[in-house]
Amino acid sequence: MFPHRLATPAPPTRPNHAAGRSNRWLQGFAESHYYLLVPLASIVIFLVVMSLILWSLNRREAEQQQDTLYRNVAWAQQQIRLNMLSIQDQISSLARDTAAAPQSLGHFASAADEMMQNHPDIVFMNWLNAEQRPQWAVPTDSPFASRLQASKDSPMEDALLVAFRAARDSRRPAYSTLLYDASGMSYIALEVPVLRGREFLGTIGVVYSVEGILIHELPQELGNKFKVSFVDTHNKELATTSTRPPSPRDVSSELLLDPPGHSLLVRVYSYPSVGNFVNNTLVWLIVGLSCFVLWSLWSLWRHTRQRFEAQQALFNETSFRRAMENSIVIGMRVLDLQGHITYVNPAFCRMTGWDEADLLGHAPPYPYWPDDDIYEMQRRIDMTLRGKAPSHGFEIRVRRKNGSVFYARMFVSPLVDAHGRQTGWMSSLTDISEPKRAREELAAAHERFTTVLESLDASVSVLAVDKAELLFANRYYRQLFGTRPEGHLELSDGALESAQVSSDSIDMVDAYAGLPAVALTDTASETQEIYLPSRQKWFEVRRQYIQWVDGHLAQLQVATDITARRQAEELARQEEERLQFTGRLMTMGEMASSLAHELNQPLAAINNYCMGTAALVRAGRTSPETLLPALEKTSQQAVRAGMIIKRIRSFVKRSEPKRQPTSIYEIVADAVGLAEIEARKRRIRIVTELPAGLPQIFVDPVLIEQVLVNLLKNAAEAMQNHTPPPGLRRDLSIRLHVRRQEKAIEFTVVDHGPGVDETTIERLFEPFFSTKSDGMGMGLNICRSIIESHHGRLWVENNYAGDVRSGCTFFILLPFDADTSSVGEA
């Protein structure tokens, strides 16, 4: 008995009040479901507001940073442009001086050196005349000296040529696009025209280093605060004030450098700001407070959700227990420690027929106790209150309110509350009337079944396969073999001695217990006829593997005594052999006159040849030439007569049936040889058609020959006096066809007689039924018995020429053994 840790249930209230309270509880449950959304909505609103505030602050800071960058890049662009314009004015002044008075190389070189020292971003200067011929270059060893000096063999580069022509045509300074040296450094060329009045005398070219412009022309304070870079139109960084690679989060701003704005950009990156302690503290304080608010809201939501889940679990548990209580078929009853009923479930009320109000608070004796069992029931309730109720329960009789009584089984266990104190006893009541009735019926059925098995005149036994133990044996088995398993094993093996305790039988039992797995798993029934010398009886034994009641594999064996049946079958077989022999004698008797006539011919011929030979000897005209022909013909006739005698003797000889591999050609030759005697008497030909390569068949040749002779003889008799219908030509021939099918040999005997009436064709093979006036009606019946004993078929069909019947065909189908077919190939 296992204690139930449940509080003692109170008596159920009325259904209307329970339903009202349940509805109110469901309404409160639904309202609590909506309260779950309040903290969740608060969390969502707070996150949205804080996200908007942070996004607005970040956006404002980004706009301010972008505006600062734009002002600084504009300042950088302006400073670089001012410095480059200052250099451009100086070069223009040098160009005017050069055009006003002839200058020497020394003067140009000193002016160029001074300018290059003041502006280190200038790396090369030269003077080209109007024909693009170089005049002077400083320094002369610069790699740009050859690139900016055009000649017939080395024309000017396209970028420089464009700038030269722009200065010449516009009479104003012109910048070239970016130039690159072998190391990848970038440069810009400036071409300033040298004019004397309106006459174009050439240009003074200046080459700027892009990196030098960034280093020397950019204000120092701007380079310290920001990362400034020159970028071409393909976003390739040409020069920069910092080697730190830009990150995707860096903020930048860029402007075109004009001049030469068509090929160079100034880009300014802001360094990450360090920030101040106060702002960072305020930010982290706001973040901390936000996290605390979020945690508070999340805790509130979790608490609300846990409360909701607890309410939902309570509701589900209540619904589940109520549904289980209403659908359970086992009656539940609770007693307090004094034996008063404190609770019953609806199943208990339905089972007993008593209402809940009739049972609650009731003390023994209870209303459902039968009057004649009150003493016994009181004794059991006392045992229950003392805790002595059996753990397997006890069987009782229960009285319904209508007075009917049923059988039930009751189980009792202690009821313990949440504090571990026992408050009563929980009892379960199960109606066992139907199982009890089923057990009684099963016992009666088992008794009937056992009675039937004991009354059988057959041996029925069941043997355990794994240990060769006899599990069941009926009366007939016990009469024959006793109660030991040797009789079962003797029937199984079919050749053991009578049951005896010996080492041989022990070995045999062990061998049987070790049957192979294939035999053990084969549950198909098998039947054998076994002769037991020890009992001098024949038994028909049926065996089948079954699963015994304990789950182990067993062998069921039913052995029926068939000694009388086997004796009857043996007598029938002997009678059939005598009938077959009688049939052959009858056939020979019917053919006696024909056989005598057939034998008289060779005998008369032998007599004539002997008398002629004697006359020749008497006349003295003997010589080998005259005697040999007569003697040879005499010998041939003697052989002919001997063959006829041999065939008749073998045909009518009484012998046991003996099946053997036999040549089809020999059977047909012997049968046709006998049947031709009768056919020639009636002037009918027998035509045989035998293909080459027919196999041997496993038959009794005499019996098959008897069937063919009978069919050929019947065909000849049917054709003897038959006149064909008008329009059909008379054919005095019988055809014997032999052909090979897939696994059988087919013989067909075709005649051109009157055929068989369709109404009697099915009765043609019945015993004592004949279409001949003097027939006994046994010939065809014997023929069919012979063919069926060889597992073949014999049937007949009429032949038709259009709608006119023109004879019949007898079919014989005999199987042949494929293993011996190769032996008989001819």
Side-chain angles (χ1 to χ4, degrees):
M1 295 185 295
F2 299 95
H4 293 270
R5 294 189 173 272
L6 297 173
T8 304
T13 58
R14 294 299 178 185
N16 292 337
H17 298 289
R21 187 174 69 251
S22 177
N23 292 334
R24 290 193 299 272
W25 190 89
L26 287 174
Q27 183 178 3
F29 175 78
E31 293 176 356
S32 64
H33 178 71
Y34 290 111
Y35 291 155
L36 287 174
L37 300 177
V38 175
L40 184 62
S42 302
I43 293 174
V44 172
I45 293 173
F46 180 80
L47 290 176
V48 170
V49 171
M50 293 303 298
S51 299
L52 289 175
I53 292 174
L54 293 177
W55 177 81
S56 177
L57 292 175
N58 289 335
R59 181 178 177 84
R60 182 176 179 182
E61 183 179 359
E63 290 177 352
Q64 292 177 354
Q65 189 176 11
Q66 192 69 31
D67 184 62
T68 302
L69 282 177
Y70 181 79
R71 290 196 301 270
N72 284 281
V73 74
W75 179 40
Q77 178 203 34
Q78 182 179 7
Q79 293 298 321
I80 293 173
R81 288 178 58 188
L82 289 175
N83 292 335
M84 295 184 69
L85 287 176
S86 174
I87 296 173
Q88 181 180 325
D89 291 341
Q90 295 178 22
I91 296 174
S92 298
S93 175
L94 179 60
R96 287 193 296 273
D97 294 342
T98 302
Q103 301 290 330
S104 62
L105 175 60
H107 183 270
F108 181 80
S110 61
D113 290 339
E114 182 181 0
M115 186 172 296
M116 293 172 66
Q117 290 178 0
N118 295 331
H119 302 283
D121 49 331
I122 299 176
V123 297
F124 179 75
M125 292 181 62
N126 72 336
W127 180 21
L128 300 177
N129 59 17
E131 290 78 17
Q132 303 178 16
R133 301 291 182 181
Q135 298 297 323
W136 300 314
V138 179
T140 58
D141 57 349
S142 174
F144 287 98
S146 60
R147 296 176 64 178
L148 272 66
Q149 297 176 5
S151 63
K152 181 177 181 181
D153 298 332
S154 178
M156 187 179 296
E157 296 181 9
D158 292 340
L160 298 173
L161 183 60
V162 170
F164 179 84
R165 290 176 179 176
R168 181 190 64 188
D169 296 340
S170 64
R171 298 299 194 269
R172 298 179 61 185
Y175 286 90
S176 70
T177 56
L178 291 173
L179 304 174
Y180 300 93
D181 59 8
S183 62
M185 300 296 292
S186 54
Y187 300 89
I188 297 176
L190 172 64
E191 298 292 336
V192 178
V194 179
L195 302 174
R196 183 181 293 162
R198 301 298 298 174
E199 181 182 3
F200 178 73
L201 300 180
T203 62
I204 294 179
V206 178
V207 177
Y208 292 94
S209 170
V210 174
E211 185 176 2
I213 295 175
L214 185 63
I215 294 175
H216 301 289
E217 305 300 336
L218 184 70
Q220 186 68 27
E221 59 274 16
L222 189 62
N224 294 334
K225 293 174 58 178
F226 303 96
K227 175 183 176 180
V228 184
S229 302
F230 282 157
V231 184
D232 61 7
T233 54
H234 301 292
N235 203 32
K236 178 182 179 183
E237 191 174 69
L238 304 176
T240 181
T241 59
S242 175
T243 58
R244 184 182 69 86
S247 65
R249 300 180 59 186
D250 289 347
V251 182
S252 63
S253 181
E254 60 186 24
L255 285 175
L256 286 171
L257 185 63
D258 190 18
H262 59 277
S263 61
L264 198 61
L265 294 173
V266 179
R267 181 177 295 170
V268 177
Y269 297 90
S270 64
Y271 291 114
S273 59
V274 178
N276 54 61
F277 176 77
V278 176
N279 291 339
N280 292 337
T281 302
L282 291 176
V283 169
W284 284 110
L285 183 60
I286 293 174
V287 171
L289 291 175
S290 300
C291 293
F292 177 75
V293 172
L294 288 175
W295 177 81
S296 301
L297 292 175
W298 177 78
S299 299
L300 178 61
W301 176 80
R302 186 180 64 175
H303 176 72
T304 306
R305 181 174 178 81
Q306 290 176 350
R307 180 180 177 184
F308 169 74
E309 291 176 352
Q311 292 176 348
Q312 188 177 21
L314 180 60
F315 173 75
N316 294 336
E317 183 68 19
T318 304
S319 301
F320 173 76
R321 290 184 177 274
R322 183 179 294 111
M324 182 175 63
E325 179 182 349
N326 294 332
S327 63
I328 196 171
V329 296
I330 299 177
M332 307 299 295
R333 181 201 65 182
V334 177
L335 303 178
D336 61 12
L337 296 177
Q338 288 74 35
H340 296 85
I341 298 177
T342 60
Y343 170 78
V344 288
N345 68 338
F348 192 92
C349 297
R350 290 193 303 269
M351 192 179 299
T352 61
W354 298 91
D355 295 334
E356 187 178 6
D358 299 333
L359 299 175
L360 292 180
H362 210 291
Y366 304 122
Y368 52 84
W369 283 2
D371 294 337
D372 52 352
D373 289 346
I374 290 180
Y375 175 77
E376 179 64 23
M377 298 294 286
Q378 185 63 48
R379 186 182 66 82
R380 291 182 176 178
I381 200 67
D382 293 339
M383 290 176 56
T384 300
L385 296 179
R386 293 197 308 268
K388 302 297 184 180
S391 59
H392 55 81
F394 42 80
E395 185 176 319
I396 62 174
R397 294 172 67 241
V398 180
R399 185 184 67 181
R400 295 188 179 94
K401 191 173 184 179
N402 59 8
S404 61
V405 178
F406 65 94
Y407 287 91
R409 179 167 292 276
M410 178 173 288
F411 297 90
V412 181
S413 61
L415 186 66
V416 180
D417 62 7
H419 303 287
R421 296 190 300 268
Q422 182 177 350
T423 59
W425 300 92
M426 172 68 74
S427 304
S428 62
L429 190 69
T430 305
D431 187 354
I432 61 170
S433 299
E434 187 63 25
K436 186 178 181 65
R437 184 187 62 81
R439 286 197 302 270
E440 293 175 353
E441 291 182 355
L442 182 61
H446 179 267
E447 184 178 358
R448 291 193 298 270
F449 178 72
T450 305
T451 303
V452 170
L453 287 180
E454 291 293 327
S455 303
L456 287 177
D457 289 334
S459 168
V460 180
S461 59
V462 179
L463 187 77
V465 174
D466 54 352
K467 51 186 177 181
E469 176 187 354
L470 192 63
L471 302 176
F472 174 81
N474 69 339
R475 176 190 55 81
Y476 192 83
Y477 179 92
R478 294 193 300 271
Q479 289 177 358
L480 289 176
F481 307 107
T483 59
R484 301 184 63 81
E486 281 76 5
H488 184 106
L489 300 175
E490 184 178 4
L491 289 172
S492 298
D493 294 345
L496 296 177
E497 295 293 331
S498 181
Q500 55 184 356
V501 181
S502 63
S503 59
D504 295 338
S505 63
I506 295 175
D507 294 340
M508 178 267 296
V509 171
D510 295 338
Y512 186 83
L515 287 174
V518 176
L520 295 181
T521 57
D522 183 12
T523 59
S525 178
E526 54 183 59
T527 303
Q528 294 180 349
E529 292 184 359
I530 296 174
Y531 178 73
L532 292 185
S534 60
R535 299 292 186 272
Q536 295 184 355
K537 290 180 179 293
W538 280 93
F539 291 93
E540 183 182 66
V541 181
R542 292 181 175 87
R543 291 185 298 271
Q544 183 174 358
Y545 288 98
I546 61 174
Q547 188 175 9
W548 195 239
V549 292
D550 58 356
H552 289 79
L553 188 65
Q555 186 187 60
L556 169 66
Q557 184 170 262
V558 180
T560 306
D561 187 354
I562 59 171
T563 304
R565 191 186 77 185
R566 289 297 297 260
Q567 293 174 353
E569 290 176 353
E570 180 64 22
L571 292 176
R573 184 187 64 80
Q574 295 175 2
E575 290 297 327
E576 184 178 358
E577 291 179 4
R578 285 194 290 268
L579 184 60
Q580 293 170 0
F581 176 71
T582 303
R584 293 199 296 272
L585 291 180
M586 290 172 57
T587 302
M588 289 295 99
E590 293 172 357
M591 296 173 59
S593 60
S594 300
L595 291 172
H597 176 73
E598 187 71 15
L599 285 173
N600 281 333
Q601 289 183 355
L603 292 176
I606 292 172
N607 185 39
N608 291 334
Y609 287 129
C610 289
M611 290 177 63
T613 304
L616 290 175
V617 172
R618 291 190 191 100
R621 293 183 295 171
T622 59
S623 64
E625 291 79 8
T626 58
L627 294 178
L628 281 175
L631 294 176
E632 288 177 353
K633 292 180 180 178
T634 301
S635 176
Q636 291 175 0
Q637 294 300 322
V639 170
R640 178 184 173 190
M643 183 62 69
I644 294 173
I645 297 300
K646 178 183 176 181
R647 287 176 177 171
I648 295 174
R649 183 176 180 275
S650 64
F651 186 74
V652 298
K653 181 182 178 182
R654 177 70 179 270
S655 61
E656 296 291 331
K658 182 180 179 181
R659 297 189 186 185
Q660 57 189 6
T662 308
S663 172
I664 297 175
Y665 302 99
E666 294 179 1
I667 294 176
V668 172
D670 292 340
V672 173
L674 289 175
E676 274 184 337
I677 298 174
E678 191 75 13
R680 282 198 300 268
K681 177 182 177 182
R682 291 173 171 81
R683 298 182 180 182
I684 296 173
R685 296 180 298 108
I686 297 179
V687 181
T688 59
E689 297 180 3
L690 280 77
L694 290 176
Q696 288 186 341
I697 53 178
F698 193 75
V699 295
D700 186 331
V702 175
L703 296 180
I704 302 302
E705 182 182 338
Q706 178 181 351
V707 174
L708 292 177
V709 170
N710 202 331
L711 294 180
L712 292 171
K713 174 177 165 296
N714 289 344
E717 291 175 354
M719 293 174 57
Q720 181 178 7
N721 299 320
H722 172 63
T723 301
L728 291 181
R729 184 175 61 84
R730 181 177 177 83
D731 190 352
L732 299 177
S733 64
I734 302 172
R735 298 188 178 273
L736 173 59
H737 303 267
V738 182
R739 66 188 184 95
R740 176 175 178 173
Q741 295 187 0
E742 182 179 357
K743 291 184 179 181
I745 299 296
E746 183 184 68
F747 299 81
T748 56
V749 179
V750 185
D751 65 58
H752 300 282
V756 184
D757 190 357
E758 294 291 345
T759 60
T760 61
I761 194 171
E762 295 297 331
R763 302 184 57 196
L764 201 60
F765 297 96
E766 294 181 2
F768 306 109
F769 176 82
S770 176
T771 58
K772 295 183 291 185
S773 59
D774 57 347
M776 294 182 60
M778 292 300 295
L780 290 178
N781 179 262
I782 294 173
C783 291
R784 172 169 279 187
S785 299
I786 292 173
I787 296 302
E788 289 180 350
S789 68
H790 286 78
H791 306 289
R793 290 179 57 206
L794 172 62
W795 73 97
V796 62
E797 294 179 1
N798 282 319
N799 303 328
Y800 288 91
D803 296 334
V804 181
R805 193 164 60 200
S806 61
C808 64
T809 302
F810 282 84
F811 296 89
I812 301 173
L813 200 64
L814 288 175
F816 67 89
D817 190 358
D819 296 334
T820 61
S821 62
S822 60
V823 180
E825 296 290 342

